[in-house]
Amino acid sequence: MVARIPFLSPSSQESCKAMALSSMTGFARSQGASGPYTFEWELKSVNAKGYDLRLRLPPGWDELEAVARKRAAELLSRGTVYANLAVKRADAVSSVRINEDVLASIVKVAGTLASKIDAVAPSIDGLLSIKGVIEVVEPVSNEEEDKAARAAAAFAFEQALTSLVEMRKREGTALGQILMQRMDEIEKLAAKAEAAPGRKPEAIKARLAEQIATLLEASERFDPDRLNQEALLIATKADIREELDRIASHIAQAREMLGKGGAVGRRLDFLAQEFNREVNTCCSKSNDIELTNTGLEMKNVVEQFREQVQNLE
């Protein structure tokens, strides 16, 4: 008989809510300010086969990259994470200055040329468009302010990352409950297949005996003993006992992994492939319409399980 796996009791269902599963999708935002700087982090994670952090930092803030990568790798093991930092400076107003020395030199050269050739005197617009006459002066930065701002931005990244991890865990908990439900459905369908009258050896032998009798009536050249041996062999091959046992084992493994939690997405994905293989074999062996329909229902639930598993870390 198939190894029976009990359905989740209310207490077991409560424990599922505390599973440390994580989804790979999530979003978080954090803001901060330090001195003349205001900044905002946006973190977004999506499904991926592996782990990848893609950072976008403004010029001058590159030293945050090492800190962000180290911390994110400690908390996340799978998914593509997009992290964007936007920074504004309150006194970041550039000023314009005329380079008097350059302008004087240009005017002097223009006067010398005017005495040699007949030319129109240069206009103000023309003089100001010459490179070097106008200089854009950036605001002077303060090293202590910049250092404090980078430290505050690193702390804000930690806050955003923590929020992202919490969101992924909330979604992971919901996914865990859905996956447990899929295991219950697969177990019920496996029990239905187990109880199907058409899969009993007696039923299979009876159908084959009827077919043999029809063949013997049609021709006397068939050897009844040989046909009986072939029928027994076919009946043995048509039995799905091994497949049902392996499905029960996979259900137990899936529930154990979901109960332990953690980064089990890859292992559950592999298990979903094994589920699919066993269900396909059941369908291919079936010679009974009821058993075939049950196998197709199970295949549909397994596919739903596999799709949800794709979202787990």
Side-chain angles (χ1 to χ4, degrees):
M1 295 182 63
V2 177
R4 305 307 298 161
I5 301 171
F7 295 115
L8 290 176
S9 63
S11 60
S12 298
Q13 292 173 355
E14 287 298 319
S15 66
C16 288
K17 296 180 181 179
M19 288 189 300
L21 291 171
S22 291
S23 166
M24 284 190 284
T25 60
F27 178 82
R29 180 186 285 124
S30 67
Q31 299 173 331
S34 177
Y37 295 99
T38 59
F39 43 81
E40 181 179 77
W41 282 101
E42 276 193 3
L43 273 62
K44 179 179 71 173
S45 65
V46 296
N47 295 357
K49 291 184 178 180
Y51 166 73
D52 185 24
L53 175 62
R54 301 183 183 182
L55 277 167
R56 289 182 60 186
L57 301 173
W61 295 73
D62 296 336
E63 69 178 61
L64 291 177
E65 180 173 358
V67 176
R69 289 194 179 281
K70 181 177 182 298
R71 188 60 181 140
E74 290 172 352
L75 298 181
L76 306 172
S77 62
R78 199 174 174 208
T80 297
V81 182
Y82 300 90
N84 179 60
L85 174 63
V87 179
K88 292 182 180 179
R89 182 172 173 176
D91 60 352
V93 179
S94 301
S95 60
V96 177
R97 182 177 65 186
I98 303 297
N99 191 320
E100 300 287 350
D101 294 336
V102 174
L103 180 61
S105 298
I106 292 173
V107 171
K108 181 179 179 181
V109 171
T112 302
L113 291 175
S115 64
K116 295 181 180 180
I117 60 175
D118 185 14
V120 179
S123 64
I124 294 178
D125 291 345
L127 290 172
L128 294 179
S129 65
I130 298 174
K131 185 178 180 180
V133 173
I134 294 180
E135 296 178 343
V136 178
V137 181
E138 301 292 343
V140 179
S141 61
N142 182 291
E143 185 176 346
E144 291 299 321
E145 287 181 344
D146 292 352
K147 183 177 180 180
R150 287 193 290 270
F155 178 74
F157 176 80
E158 177 74 19
Q159 291 179 314
L161 184 62
T162 300
S163 297
L164 180 69
V165 170
E166 290 174 353
M167 182 177 181
R168 285 169 52 130
K169 285 185 177 180
R170 287 195 299 270
E171 291 193 9
T173 298
L175 281 173
Q177 293 172 348
I178 293 172
L179 293 172
M180 282 292 194
Q181 291 172 6
R182 296 295 172 267
M183 289 299 96
D184 291 346
E185 293 173 21
I186 294 172
E187 184 180 50
K188 289 179 181 178
L189 290 169
K192 184 178 179 181
E194 169 73 20
R199 70 157 297 271
K200 300 300 181 182
E202 297 79 9
I204 297 173
K205 290 177 182 179
R207 285 196 299 272
L208 291 173
E210 184 179 348
Q211 295 171 2
I212 291 172
T214 303
L215 289 173
L216 290 175
E217 289 176 4
S219 175
E220 297 180 354
R221 290 181 297 174
F222 293 106
D223 181 355
D225 293 334
R226 180 62 183 274
L227 285 175
N228 187 57
Q229 292 175 4
E230 292 293 333
L232 291 174
L233 181 61
I234 293 172
T236 302
K237 290 182 177 179
D239 188 21
I240 58 171
R241 169 76 281 128
E242 289 186 17
E243 287 72 26
L244 291 176
D245 287 343
R246 282 194 286 267
I247 287 173
S249 174
H250 296 337
I251 291 172
Q253 291 180 60
R255 282 175 169 160
E256 182 181 1
M257 281 189 270
L258 290 169
K260 289 182 178 179
V264 295
R266 284 195 185 92
R267 285 184 289 165
L268 284 171
D269 186 37
F270 174 77
L271 197 59
Q273 297 176 41
E274 294 299 306
F275 266 122
N276 194 56
R277 182 179 294 110
E278 302 303 337
V279 174
N280 282 338
T281 305
C282 287
C283 291
S284 66
K285 283 186 173 184
S286 172
N287 55 4
D288 176 75
I289 186 64
E290 181 184 349
L291 190 56
T292 299
N293 289 335
T294 301
L296 291 175
E297 285 184 64
M298 199 184 309
K299 185 175 177 63
N300 182 52
V301 178
V302 167
E303 180 60 23
Q304 293 174 3
F305 176 82
R306 190 194 65 82
E307 289 177 356
Q308 294 293 350
V309 163
Q310 303 299 313
N311 299 312
L312 276 182
E313 184 176 24

